[in-house]
């Protein structure tokens, strides 16, 4: 277990994030604090950062350094982006920080800022082709990746703070003329990145402004589950957020759910950027990534010393392995349950009793491994805890709907609880719920076939030519508990078969 601290010195905020990393449980954020420093407002017309701005920076860094020491971080990375990068006196700023705080600030170049943001997206989502937009206070980075490989990257010297100053100085956030001028400016600026035009891929938003946009939309929809990583919106959804922001007065914005108070005066430029890009790209969707430059930087540092970590080809697998380890899933029994579940499903498919597509089968096998992980909290309410944990956890590589599907399968106990859980989101059709019930029943049944966790059962054979149907269960050892429990749970398989089932335990 190691701890790394990262101080992100942005144009709008300065933030300290402390990460804990372990191979078994992955990268986890254990502390996250910020101060809205707005460093870009201390740059004069010549790009010189004033002494007041340097003092704000040094005060924040001194405080965050003490916090990092209290958390016993092994490495502390202070990284600086546009506000320092664009300062004509940046060398003097870095020297002042070194003398007063005793740390060396790492100046992130434009292309590196784009790289780290894109690195985080490609290593924490399953999006293969996309355009990322990371709009900070003083700069905006765009990247285009295909098959998870970066093809183009560009940085623009404007962000939410500078756009606000350029177009809304002394004007309300919804001034029509200012909005029109800003939109025209953005279209002209982004046209320099001709490689984004009509790409027809996902637009991925990174950073605090994108997070606020997603949260505002979730509040407008009364979104039923937690988390914004992987949250997806369409063009109409983005337009809805934009129209809502324009229709609200400044006082009303203060009470808008999902909008941070320190972003009230800068959120509109960000949402305009997202809308303009969506239109230029002809995007298929707008997805928010909670993982950006900070996570990308730390992941890249760890990957350099620990080869094999953070493989972009196996985002889902690693995320679910980390989740299983966090909740102490016993791997031998979990693999046995997964093996038996796959074997029984294949036989049901061969017999024409079920037909499951590839994605749903993948989710089914993942659920078989993670089944009832909520017992880690309380075995008497395993189903409830399992559903809540998975449905409301940020799981890399899974869309929100697929996360809930996994939660429904992993927590399956009976039809009434399944209906109760699925009614919370109402995302699944009646046929999908019936399919989840059937697959959840298989998992519950094979769990009964290894209820003693001794892996006594090693093969299954389904025969539907007999009456009743017959399931031969081949075993070694003493399956007394398995005989009792499987006969209690065979009703789930009988429902799929639409016939009675006789279970024969045969010693191998």
């Amino acid at each position: 277990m190691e701890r790394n601290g990262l101080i992100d010195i942005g144009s709008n905020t300065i933030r300290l994030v402390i990460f804990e990393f372990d191979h078994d449980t992955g990268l986890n954020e254990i502390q996250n604090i910020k101060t809205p420093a707005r460093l870009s407002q201390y740059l004069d017309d010549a790009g010189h950062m004033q002494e007041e701005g340097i003092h704000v920076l040094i005060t924040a860094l001194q405080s965050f350094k003490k916090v990092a020491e209290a958390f016993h971080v092994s490495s502390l990375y202070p990284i600086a982006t546009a506000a320092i990068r664009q300062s004509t006196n940046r060398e003097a700023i870095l020297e002042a920080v070194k003398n007063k705080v005793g740390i060396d600030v790492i100046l992130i170049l434009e292309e590196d800022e784009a790289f780290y943001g894109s690195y985080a997206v490609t290593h924490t989502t399953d999006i293969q082709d996309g355009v990322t937009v990371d709009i900070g206070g003083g700069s905006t980075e765009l990247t285009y990746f295909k098959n998870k490989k970066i093809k183009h990257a560009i940085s623009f010297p404007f962000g939410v703070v500078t756009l606000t100053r350029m177009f809304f100085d002394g004007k309300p956030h919804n001034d029509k003329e200012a909005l029109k001028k800003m939109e025209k400016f953005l279209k002209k600026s982004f046209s320099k990145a001709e490689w984004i035009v009509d790409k027809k891929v996902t637009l991925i938003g990174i950073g605090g402004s994108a997070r606020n946009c997603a949260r505002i939309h979730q509040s407008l929809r009364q979104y039923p589950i937690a988390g914004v990583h992987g949250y997806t919106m369409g063009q109409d959804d983005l337009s809805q957020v934009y129209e809502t922001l324009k229709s609200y007065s400044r006082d009303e914005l203060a009470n808008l759910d999902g909008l941070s108070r320190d972003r009230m005066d800068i959120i509109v430029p960000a949402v305009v950027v997202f809308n303009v890009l969506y239109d230029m790209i002809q995007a298929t969707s707008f997805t928010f990534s909670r993982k950006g430059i900070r996570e990308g930087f730390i992941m890249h540092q760890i990957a350099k010393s620990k080869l094999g970590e953070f493989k972009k080809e196996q985002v889902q697998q690693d995320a679910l392995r980390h989740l299983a380890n966090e909740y102490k899933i016993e791997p031998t029994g979990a693999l046995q349950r997964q093996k038996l579940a796959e074997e029984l499903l294949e036989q049901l498919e061969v017999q024409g009793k079920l037909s499951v597509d590839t994605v749903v089968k993948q989710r089914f096998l993942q659920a078989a491994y993670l089944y009832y992980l909520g017992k880690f909290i309380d075995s008497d309410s395993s189903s409830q805890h399992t559903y809540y944990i998975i449905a409301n956890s940020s799981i890399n590589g899974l869309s929100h709907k697929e996360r809930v599907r996994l939660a429904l399968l992993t927590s399956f106990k009976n039809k009434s609880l399944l209906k109760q859980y699925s009614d919370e989101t109402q995302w699944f059709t009646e046929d999908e719920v019936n399919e989840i019930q059937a697959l959840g029943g298989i998992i519950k049944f094979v769990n009964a076939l290894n209820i003693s966790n001794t892996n006594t059962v090693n093969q299954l054979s389904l025969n539907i030519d007999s009456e009743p149907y017959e399931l031969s269960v081949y075993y070694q050892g003493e399956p007394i508990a398995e005989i009792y429990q499987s006969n209690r749970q065979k009703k789930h398989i009988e429902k799929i078969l639409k016939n009675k089932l006789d279970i024969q335990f045969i010693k191998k």
Side-chain angles (χ1 to χ4, degrees):
M1 189 79 71
E2 68 176 67
R3 288 182 176 179
N4 290 292
L6 184 141
I7 302 176
D8 183 2
I9 306 165
S11 303
N12 185 42
T13 61
I14 302 175
R15 185 184 296 267
L16 168 68
V17 185
I18 297 175
F19 297 96
E20 199 165 65
F21 172 77
D22 177 80
H23 172 74
D24 292 333
T25 55
L27 186 69
N28 292 292
E29 183 183 292
I30 62 171
Q31 179 61 286
N32 188 324
I33 54 176
K34 71 173 182 177
T35 179
R38 300 280 174 94
L39 291 180
S40 60
Q41 71 184 6
Y42 297 108
L43 293 175
D44 61 25
D45 293 339
H48 187 278
M49 182 169 287
Q50 300 162 10
E51 285 300 319
E52 186 181 355
I54 298 173
H55 175 72
V56 168
L57 170 63
I58 288 172
T59 301
L61 292 179
Q62 287 172 331
S63 175
F64 286 165
K65 184 184 177 185
K66 290 178 182 177
V67 174
E69 289 170 348
F71 274 80
H72 306 292
V73 300
S74 55
S75 299
L76 179 64
Y77 301 98
I79 64 172
T81 52
I84 309 297
R85 193 169 61 222
Q86 294 168 6
S87 303
T88 55
N89 59 332
R90 57 182 171 271
E91 296 302 327
I93 296 170
L94 299 181
E95 187 66 26
V97 169
K98 173 71 172 175
N99 292 335
K100 296 286 181 66
V101 190
I103 57 178
D104 292 305
V105 172
I106 303 166
L107 194 62
I108 304 294
L109 301 177
E110 290 95 330
E111 56 267 31
D112 290 337
E113 188 170 359
F115 167 78
Y116 290 127
S118 189
Y119 185 93
V121 169
T122 55
H123 287 74
T124 64
T125 76
D126 266 0
I127 300 170
Q128 298 298 310
D129 308 324
V131 172
T132 66
V133 51
D134 185 355
I135 180 165
S139 69
T140 299
E141 281 70 42
L142 303 182
T143 68
Y144 167 58
F145 62 87
K146 187 173 179 61
N147 296 322
K148 292 202 169 188
K149 292 182 180 178
I150 298 176
K151 298 296 184 181
H152 300 281
I154 191 171
S155 180
F156 296 92
F158 56 80
V160 287
V161 176
T162 46
L163 287 171
T164 301
R165 191 165 60 231
M166 287 167 64
F167 296 100
F168 295 93
D169 191 20
K171 299 175 183 176
H173 69 279
N174 51 7
D175 183 87
K176 290 182 180 179
E177 192 62 30
L179 289 169
K180 191 181 297 183
K181 287 181 179 178
M182 180 172 64
E183 189 173 326
K184 184 178 179 181
F185 167 80
L186 290 171
K187 287 178 179 177
K188 183 179 179 181
S189 298
F190 291 144
S191 66
K192 295 174 185 175
E194 57 186 27
W195 38 265
I196 70 170
V197 177
D198 295 336
K199 270 294 181 283
K200 296 181 174 62
V201 295
T202 301
L203 174 63
I204 305 114
I206 301 171
S209 294
R211 181 173 60 250
N212 271 237
C213 180
R215 284 179 174 165
I216 290 167
H217 188 251
Q218 286 183 339
S219 69
L220 292 174
R221 292 179 60 191
Q222 297 183 314
Y223 201 62
I225 63 171
V228 289
H229 184 61
Y231 183 69
T232 298
M233 301 162 62
Q235 189 164 26
D236 289 345
D237 300 323
L238 270 179
S239 296
Q240 182 187 13
V241 173
Y242 182 36
E243 293 303 321
T244 299
L245 293 171
K246 285 197 299 182
S247 67
Y248 276 39
S249 68
R250 181 175 173 79
D251 289 342
E252 288 171 328
L253 285 181
N255 297 311
L256 179 59
D257 288 342
L259 178 58
S260 300
R261 282 180 172 269
D262 57 358
R263 289 189 183 271
M264 285 192 328
D265 57 337
I266 55 175
I267 187 63
V268 169
V271 174
V272 173
V273 165
F274 302 146
N275 275 276
V276 167
L277 287 172
Y278 197 109
D279 189 55
M280 292 181 70
I281 294 165
Q282 290 295 292
T284 55
S285 62
F286 176 75
T287 296
F288 172 69
S289 171
R290 192 177 182 277
K291 313 299 168 62
I293 181 175
R294 293 185 289 272
E295 289 78 11
F297 183 91
I298 290 294
M299 290 166 71
H300 193 250
Q301 298 304 312
I302 293 171
K304 287 192 293 186
S305 60
K306 294 179 172 59
L307 300 179
E309 296 292 345
F310 310 120
K311 290 183 178 178
K312 59 186 176 183
E313 300 82 13
Q314 56 183 53
V315 173
Q316 275 188 40
Q317 299 94 308
D318 284 347
L320 294 172
R321 174 174 61 83
H322 295 153
L323 187 68
N325 290 331
E326 184 177 354
Y327 287 94
K328 312 300 182 189
I329 293 287
E330 197 280 307
T332 305
L335 286 169
Q336 173 76 351
R337 185 168 54 239
Q338 193 177 59
K339 170 184 172 292
L340 295 176
E342 184 172 25
E343 191 173 335
L344 184 52
L345 174 60
E346 286 177 354
Q347 293 191 44
L348 288 166
E349 286 185 309
V350 167
Q351 302 291 359
K353 300 299 181 180
L354 272 180
S355 179
V356 181
D357 72 31
T358 305
V359 172
V360 173
K361 183 176 181 180
Q362 181 185 28
R363 216 64 68 231
F364 164 75
L365 294 174
Q366 291 166 345
Y369 190 94
L370 296 170
Y371 188 62
Y372 272 22
L373 64 73
K375 66 184 179 184
F376 175 79
I377 297 174
D378 181 13
S379 59
D380 288 339
S381 50
S382 296
S383 175
Q384 291 90 334
H385 287 301
T386 300
Y387 175 76
Y388 183 83
I389 289 167
I390 295 178
N392 293 281
S393 292
S394 178
I395 301 177
N396 292 340
L398 288 184
S399 70
H400 285 206
K401 181 174 179 179
E402 288 307 300
R403 197 170 84 196
V404 173
R405 190 194 304 274
L406 178 65
L408 293 171
L409 286 166
T410 312
S411 65
F412 181 76
K413 184 176 183 181
N414 54 47
K415 182 178 180 179
S416 61
L417 265 181
L418 171 62
K419 185 177 186 308
Q420 178 184 321
Y421 299 152
S422 62
D423 281 351
E424 288 183 6
T425 59
Q426 298 183 340
W427 290 350
F428 299 92
T429 65
E430 185 178 349
D431 286 345
E432 286 177 312
V433 172
N434 289 337
E435 180 180 61
I436 290 168
Q437 182 181 344
L439 296 174
I442 295 172
I443 297 171
K444 189 171 186 185
F445 175 73
V446 298
N447 185 62
L449 287 175
N450 194 33
I451 199 70
S452 66
N453 282 311
T454 56
N455 295 349
T456 182
V457 173
N458 48 40
Q459 189 179 345
L460 304 175
S461 178
L462 178 64
N463 178 17
I464 64 170
D465 293 329
S466 62
E467 187 59 45
Y469 294 167
E470 188 174 283
L471 181 69
S472 297
V473 178
Y474 297 93
Y475 73 92
Q476 294 174 330
E478 300 296 332
I480 296 174
E482 281 73 18
I483 292 172
Y484 172 68
Q485 286 295 335
S486 61
N487 276 288
R488 285 189 66 196
Q489 302 302 334
K490 70 178 183 179
K491 60 187 177 183
H492 297 293
I493 309 303
E494 290 175 335
K495 182 174 178 61
I496 299 170
L497 295 170
K498 296 182 172 60
N499 205 324
K500 292 294 183 182
L501 182 68
D502 184 30
I503 305 176
Q504 296 291 327
F505 278 77
I506 303 168
K507 191 161 188 173
K508 219 174 177 185

